[in-house]
Coordinates of all heavy atoms in Angstrom, one line a residue:
N2 N -4.0 -10.1 -9.6 CA -2.9 -10.9 -9.2 C -1.6 -10.1 -9.0 O -1.4 -9.1 -9.7 CB -2.7 -12.0 -10.3 CG -3.8 -13.0 -10.3 OD1 -4.4 -13.3 -9.3 ND2 -4.0 -13.6 -11.5
R3 N -0.8 -10.6 -8.2 CA 0.5 -10.0 -7.9 C 1.6 -10.5 -8.9 O 1.6 -11.7 -9.3 CB 0.9 -10.4 -6.5 CG 2.2 -9.7 -6.0 CD 1.9 -8.5 -5.2 NE 3.1 -8.0 -4.5 CZ 3.3 -8.1 -3.2 NH1 2.4 -8.7 -2.4 NH2 4.4 -7.6 -2.7
L4 N 2.4 -9.7 -9.4 CA 3.5 -10.1 -10.2 C 4.3 -11.2 -9.6 O 4.7 -11.1 -8.4 CB 4.4 -8.8 -10.5 CG 5.7 -9.1 -11.3 CD1 5.4 -9.5 -12.7 CD2 6.6 -7.8 -11.3
S5 N 4.6 -12.2 -10.4 CA 5.4 -13.4 -9.9 C 5.8 -14.2 -11.1 O 5.4 -13.9 -12.2 CB 4.7 -14.2 -8.9 OG 3.6 -14.9 -9.5
L6 N 6.6 -15.3 -10.8 CA 7.0 -16.1 -11.9 C 5.8 -16.9 -12.5 O 5.9 -17.3 -13.7 CB 8.0 -17.2 -11.4 CG 9.4 -16.6 -11.1 CD1 10.3 -17.6 -10.4 CD2 10.1 -16.2 -12.4
T7 N 4.7 -17.0 -11.8 CA 3.5 -17.7 -12.3 C 2.6 -16.6 -12.9 O 1.6 -17.0 -13.5 CB 2.8 -18.5 -11.2 OG1 2.5 -17.7 -10.1 CG2 3.7 -19.7 -10.8
N8 N 2.8 -15.3 -12.6 CA 2.0 -14.3 -13.2 C 2.9 -13.2 -13.9 O 3.0 -12.1 -13.5 CB 1.2 -13.6 -12.0 CG 0.2 -14.5 -11.4 OD1 -0.6 -15.1 -12.1 ND2 0.2 -14.5 -10.1
L9 N 3.5 -13.7 -15.0 CA 4.4 -12.9 -15.8 C 3.6 -12.3 -17.0 O 3.1 -13.1 -17.8 CB 5.6 -13.6 -16.2 CG 6.8 -13.6 -15.3 CD1 7.9 -14.5 -15.9 CD2 7.4 -12.2 -15.3
P10 N 3.5 -11.0 -17.2 CA 2.8 -10.5 -18.3 C 3.5 -10.8 -19.6 O 2.8 -11.0 -20.7 CB 2.8 -9.0 -18.1 CG 3.9 -8.7 -17.1 CD 4.0 -10.0 -16.3
P13 N 10.2 -13.6 -19.9 CA 11.5 -12.9 -19.9 C 12.5 -13.5 -20.9 O 12.4 -14.6 -21.2 CB 12.0 -13.1 -18.4 CG 11.3 -14.4 -18.0 CD 10.0 -14.4 -18.7
R18 N 14.9 -18.1 -13.0 CA 15.2 -19.3 -12.3 C 16.5 -20.0 -12.8 O 17.0 -20.8 -12.0 CB 14.0 -20.3 -12.5 CG 12.8 -19.9 -11.7 CD 11.6 -20.7 -12.2 NE 11.2 -20.3 -13.6 CZ 10.0 -20.5 -14.1 NH1 9.0 -21.1 -13.4 NH2 9.7 -20.1 -15.3
P71 N 7.2 -12.0 -2.2 CA 6.0 -12.6 -2.8 C 6.0 -12.5 -4.3 O 5.1 -13.2 -4.9 CB 4.9 -11.7 -2.2 CG 5.5 -11.0 -1.1 CD 6.9 -10.8 -1.4
Q72 N 6.9 -11.8 -4.9 CA 7.0 -11.7 -6.4 C 8.1 -12.4 -7.0 O 8.5 -12.2 -8.1 CB 7.1 -10.2 -6.7 CG 5.9 -9.3 -6.2 CD 5.9 -7.9 -6.6 OE1 5.0 -7.1 -6.2 NE2 7.0 -7.4 -7.3
D73 N 8.7 -13.4 -6.2 CA 9.8 -14.2 -6.7 C 11.0 -13.3 -7.2 O 11.7 -13.7 -8.1 CB 9.3 -15.1 -7.9 CG 8.3 -16.1 -7.4 OD1 8.4 -16.7 -6.3 OD2 7.3 -16.3 -8.2
L75 N 10.9 -10.5 -8.7 CA 10.6 -9.8 -9.9 C 10.1 -8.4 -9.5 O 9.4 -8.2 -8.5 CB 9.6 -10.5 -10.7 CG 9.9 -11.9 -11.2 CD1 8.7 -12.4 -12.0 CD2 11.2 -11.9 -12.0
V233 N -0.9 -7.0 -13.9 CA -0.7 -7.6 -12.6 C -0.2 -6.5 -11.7 O 0.3 -5.4 -12.1 CB 0.3 -8.7 -12.6 CG1 -0.2 -9.9 -13.4 CG2 1.7 -8.3 -13.2

Side-chain angles (χ1 to χ4, degrees):
N2 290 329
R3 186 93 171 256
L4 175 65
S5 69
L6 287 169
T7 55
N8 292 310
L9 267 173
R18 289 165 291 201
Q72 301 183 177
D73 299 317
L75 303 178
V233 292

